[in-house]
Amino acid sequence: MIDVRTTASPILKTQLRAEDKRQQLMLAVRIYRNAKQIDRFNYYVKDYGNPVYLLRNELKTGTVVNHPLSIRYNELIEFLKSEIFEIVKNELLAKTLINREHVKKLIDKVVMKDFNSAFVAKIDQQKVIITGSGYLGKGDHQIDIRAKTAINKMDFPTEPTFDPNGQIYNEIDAEDIESLMLQEDLHLRQEAEKLRISKLTTKERYESLEYDTQNIFELFGSIYHEPKLSSTYNKIVIRLFEYRFYMKPKEHVNHYDEQWVASFFEFLHSHGYTKLNTKIFDPLRFNPDIFVNKAVDHYKSDNLYTLLEILQRVSNHFADKGLLKRLNFKAINLKDICGEEQSEEGSRDEHALDNSEFNKLFFLQFNRKQLAAYQSIFDRKKIEKGNGKVRFKNLKISIADLESTRDLFCLQVMAGGIRGYRDLMTLKFNSVDKQVSFNVMKAKNRLMVNPYNVYIAIIARDYKNKLPELNFSYSANSMETIYRMLCQTVAEIVPLRREVIHENELIQISDLFNPYFARKTFSQILSDEYGKDDDEIMMFTGHKSLKSKSILRQNYLKKNSITKKRKIIKDIKLPKGKSQTTIRFARG
């Protein structure tokens, strides 16, 4: 006798249906014989021969909730589990393996033939028996409201009453009971769901999609917990909620169009904005009083152009996911709203290390005896990045981690001002042709190739033509955060004491330091130290123009040859007193 077991787990993993964002319900079927899995397939659930479509929040831990037909669908799932087991068991009595398509047809057949009658029979068990002295209900469910009212008044006839056409009109049948059961079930599940959701944090709600994706503001609030979007985009969320508070715009995503966006920016231009801490703002539990009786600042025109660019990126991100329609942002004319064109300088603070500061960093030698002090700096950065909560609680750094971080950043600079950690992680050394290559994410992963300079040659030699590594096993997003914190830790160890203006305040450049400095540092060194012009620098960085250093030129990768770049890059030299043999690593 063979030991056969099956599991059938309800899941939603199909494409979103365009008209209502629902997904088709299917069962992930796994078949085991003698405790070993021998087959697997997905079965698409059908009721009356029609596919069953659900929203993500209507299927929780294998149970259909918050849906008008939840009782029926849950009974259908249980019916299918039982029938799948019987069908598979019978098939395996005569065969070693099953024919998946044949099994699916057998499942379809038994559902069409038997499920509805089985379901009605089960509901009919709850049928109420009416007598002259009251009623008797089987089970925990109440009867239809008409019958309940009649019973309470005790004015119903003891015998069925017929209408002029001879139809019984006061009979309490299975359809009445099912109707009320569905109502009661829906109400109870809705209340239970509300209670469950109320106990979740905002982060948990966004991660488990427990929010209204059809609401413009709740949808944009999700960028707070979207790893693919920069945290600098959070400011647009607060501006949207301030617009919501004062103007009460339409909130359904169907109303999100070019005119909706234009009205939002007209509000920003005329009203201004309230200064708030973007880190502590909670888009699902925010208090509207944060906008009341607070000082309001007004935007410069360039700031509005920057905000429009941010909104476009976020909107396109949601459009790629099918959550918003893609807008034509070129049709939104900010000049008509604020009366000014975007200036040549742009609005972004541009910070970079100069050549002297970069060399301090490159030749920094860490002191093993100071590791405890280095760890305390890193621990402080962990708390700052976690908004008061310790992230990566037990993470201990080493001198090797600090040295690798230093060299990753220096490589990020000298390889051509690589934009970010993800691009940097694609870098490869070619020791034969003396060049590095990496993918540019913002240019659809196109390959960028730049020649060695003296700094790259040293790093390639020291790490045997491999990327410096950090000794942690975290997700790509976590590693990016750790790298940023380590960069800030290293910057605090380096004596960088130059003050720069940041948001109208003088601040130490070491306090602002982050991996994005790499992109600006490369441009500044080539310009200030070696006198290279804009076109020469852009051959390496791919900037469209120095006005907008965040937009990649589409054809620069093909246009510029490695030969031209070698002529430019050969001028880069190590500072006086330093050579390729200068010690950069901790001794002992």
Side-chain angles (χ1 to χ4, degrees):
M1 181 176 178
I2 60 171
D3 176 21
V4 176
R5 184 170 63 89
T6 62
T7 62
S9 305
I11 57 174
L12 298 172
K13 287 196 175 180
T14 57
Q15 290 292 323
L16 293 172
R17 193 162 62 173
E19 62 266 29
D20 56 10
K21 311 304 180 189
R22 293 177 181 270
Q23 294 172 284
Q24 189 173 352
L25 176 64
M26 61 183 180
L27 297 180
V29 179
R30 304 292 181 266
I31 302 171
Y32 301 86
R33 182 163 54 190
N34 299 327
K36 182 179 180 181
Q37 182 175 311
I38 62 170
D39 210 337
R40 59 190 291 175
F41 62 86
N42 292 331
Y43 175 77
Y44 291 90
V45 178
K46 293 180 280 292
D47 189 20
Y48 291 113
N50 299 316
V52 174
Y53 285 92
L54 300 173
L55 295 171
R56 286 277 184 91
N57 61 6
E58 291 174 342
L59 184 68
K60 299 297 176 187
T61 60
T63 303
V64 180
V65 299
N66 201 24
H67 189 283
L69 293 176
S70 57
I71 290 178
R72 182 178 178 88
Y73 288 166
N74 286 322
E75 290 294 336
L76 177 57
I77 290 170
E78 292 306 311
F79 178 86
L80 282 168
K81 288 180 179 180
S82 175
E83 292 301 324
I84 287 172
F85 170 73
E86 292 297 331
I87 290 171
V88 169
K89 183 179 71 172
N90 290 333
E91 288 290 300
L92 288 176
L93 286 175
K95 303 174 184 177
T96 305
L97 298 174
I98 66 165
N99 183 321
R100 296 177 188 173
E101 296 307 314
H102 177 64
V103 168
K104 290 178 184 179
K105 288 179 181 178
L106 291 176
I107 298 170
D108 288 341
K109 185 176 179 180
V110 75
V111 170
M112 290 293 290
K113 178 184 175 184
D114 297 334
F115 171 66
N116 199 56
S117 58
F119 178 68
V120 171
K122 185 163 186 175
I123 292 297
D124 202 38
Q125 292 174 7
Q126 304 294 325
K127 191 171 182 177
V128 173
I129 303 170
I130 299 177
T131 68
S133 60
Y135 69 92
L136 174 65
K138 293 182 181 179
D140 298 327
H141 297 280
Q142 293 178 320
I143 61 172
D144 179 88
I145 192 68
R146 292 181 295 109
K148 184 179 179 183
T149 302
I151 291 168
N152 288 339
K153 291 182 177 180
M154 295 300 289
D155 59 0
F156 56 87
T158 56
E159 298 296 331
T161 302
F162 296 84
D163 66 15
N165 296 320
Q167 299 293 319
I168 297 175
Y169 69 83
N170 74 322
E171 182 184 43
I172 310 302
D173 59 14
E175 185 177 345
D176 295 321
I177 304 303
E178 181 182 1
S179 173
L180 187 83
M181 286 174 66
L182 291 171
Q183 294 174 32
E184 291 294 313
D185 178 74
L186 179 60
H187 174 72
L188 292 172
R189 289 181 183 276
Q190 283 177 334
E191 293 303 311
E193 190 71 357
K194 286 179 183 177
L195 179 62
R196 185 185 66 80
I197 291 175
S198 69
K199 295 178 180 180
L200 298 176
T201 65
T202 296
K203 184 175 185 294
E204 288 171 336
R205 286 183 61 183
Y206 275 120
E207 288 178 344
S208 58
L209 301 178
E210 304 284 0
Y211 68 98
D212 186 359
T213 58
Q214 303 289 297
N215 182 285
I216 296 170
F217 300 95
E218 289 194 20
L219 179 61
F220 273 88
S222 69
I223 71 175
Y224 264 77
H225 306 287
E226 174 53 78
K228 293 184 179 180
L229 294 175
S230 168
S231 60
T232 59
Y233 294 173
N234 291 350
K235 68 180 74 173
I236 201 70
V237 178
I238 294 184
R239 305 301 162 237
L240 283 166
F241 273 78
E242 193 164 5
Y243 174 55
R244 179 195 207 183
F245 173 72
Y246 283 105
M247 305 305 293
K248 308 294 188 294
K250 293 180 178 178
E251 300 195 4
H252 196 277
V253 292
N254 289 344
H255 298 293
Y256 186 75
D257 55 19
E258 290 81 2
Q259 183 54 52
W260 196 100
V261 173
S263 298
F264 170 50
F265 276 85
E266 287 170 0
F267 165 79
L268 292 178
H269 176 65
S270 60
H271 172 79
Y273 65 95
T274 304
K275 280 190 172 181
L276 296 170
N277 186 343
T278 61
K279 293 182 179 180
I280 62 174
F281 182 78
D282 188 330
L284 294 182
R285 292 187 174 90
F286 88 104
N287 182 354
D289 291 342
I290 61 176
F291 299 123
V292 178
N293 298 325
K294 299 288 176 64
V296 174
D297 283 353
H298 285 275
Y299 280 113
K300 297 177 182 178
S301 297
D302 283 334
N303 296 127
L304 289 178
Y305 280 99
T306 299
L307 277 180
L308 184 62
E309 290 176 3
I310 291 174
L311 185 66
Q312 181 176 359
R313 293 188 194 114
V314 178
S315 294
N316 289 342
H317 170 76
F318 289 131
D320 291 340
K321 289 186 168 186
L323 298 171
L324 282 180
K325 55 190 171 187
R326 193 173 295 278
L327 303 188
N328 177 17
F329 277 83
K330 291 182 180 179
I332 302 167
N333 192 341
L334 276 188
K335 183 181 178 182
D336 290 345
I337 295 173
C338 60
E340 296 181 42
E341 297 275 8
Q342 188 172 13
S343 72
E344 291 296 312
E345 289 77 18
S347 62
R348 188 182 203 160
D349 282 332
E350 304 291 348
H351 299 299
L353 302 181
D354 61 27
N355 192 53
S356 172
E357 290 165 335
F358 175 78
N359 280 313
K360 284 181 182 178
L361 182 66
F362 187 79
F363 289 103
L364 172 67
Q365 187 174 347
F366 295 95
N367 187 337
R368 291 188 184 279
K369 294 180 180 179
Q370 295 297 315
L371 181 58
Y374 301 156
Q375 181 73 52
S376 66
I377 295 172
F378 179 72
D379 289 341
R380 189 175 76 248
K381 297 299 178 185
K382 287 194 297 186
I383 295 174
E384 290 172 359
K385 299 303 291 184
N387 301 331
K389 297 180 180 179
V390 179
R391 298 189 65 191
F392 316 112
K393 189 172 182 180
N394 299 316
L395 198 154
K396 298 297 182 183
I397 62 172
S398 65
I399 293 296
D401 293 324
L402 294 170
E403 290 171 341
S404 292
T405 301
R406 173 200 64 195
D407 291 335
L408 279 170
F409 175 80
C410 292
L411 185 60
Q412 201 176 337
V413 173
M414 284 299 169
I418 297 177
R419 176 172 272 101
Y421 179 79
R422 293 172 190 268
D423 288 7
L424 177 61
M425 289 299 101
T426 68
L427 184 140
K428 291 181 174 57
F429 295 96
N430 183 334
S431 58
V432 176
D433 296 327
K434 303 297 182 185
Q435 57 195 34
V436 291
S437 60
F438 55 90
N439 294 328
V440 184
M441 303 286 186
K442 281 203 170 184
K444 298 181 180 178
N445 282 329
R446 290 184 183 176
L447 189 67
M448 184 74 174
V449 180
N450 283 333
Y452 277 16
N453 53 52
V454 287
Y455 295 94
I456 296 178
I458 291 174
I459 294 174
R461 179 202 66 198
D462 290 344
Y463 292 90
K464 296 179 172 46
N465 298 308
K466 294 181 180 178
L467 272 177
E469 293 183 354
L470 300 177
N471 298 315
F472 309 113
S473 297
Y474 288 93
S475 67
N477 184 54
S478 298
M479 283 300 296
E480 195 166 354
T481 303
I482 292 170
Y483 176 51
R484 186 161 60 250
M485 292 189 299
L486 278 167
C487 276
Q488 293 170 342
T489 303
V490 171
E492 192 162 323
I493 298 169
V494 182
L496 303 177
R497 292 287 172 246
R498 177 165 56 96
E499 288 188 328
V500 295
I501 296 176
H502 176 67
E503 295 183 352
N504 299 320
E505 293 183 13
L506 279 174
I507 193 166
Q508 297 289 346
I509 196 165
S510 58
D511 293 334
L512 290 171
F513 189 87
N514 65 73
Y516 194 78
F517 271 39
R519 193 147 178 80
K520 307 302 174 187
T521 295
F522 180 78
S523 299
Q524 181 158 325
I525 290 174
L526 261 66
S527 175
D528 295 353
E529 189 72 15
Y530 298 103
K532 304 303 177 183
D533 61 33
D534 295 352
D535 288 336
E536 291 174 315
I537 294 171
M538 286 188 290
M539 290 175 67
F540 296 88
T541 65
H543 284 132
K544 182 178 180 181
S545 70
L546 295 184
K547 166 191 169 184
S548 176
K549 294 192 174 186
S550 63
I551 302 174
L552 283 175
R553 185 164 45 184
Q554 292 300 313
N555 64 352
Y556 76 93
L557 295 169
K558 302 175 184 176
K559 187 175 180 180
N560 301 300
S561 71
I562 198 76
T563 303
K564 290 181 181 178
K565 292 181 182 181
R566 290 191 193 282
K567 290 180 181 179
I568 297 168
I569 212 71
K570 67 179 178 57
D571 291 338
I572 293 183
K573 293 180 173 58
L574 296 176
K576 289 183 178 180
K578 303 291 184 183
S579 71
Q580 293 197 9
T581 59
T582 299
I583 295 173
R584 301 169 54 248
F585 296 95
R587 295 177 180 273

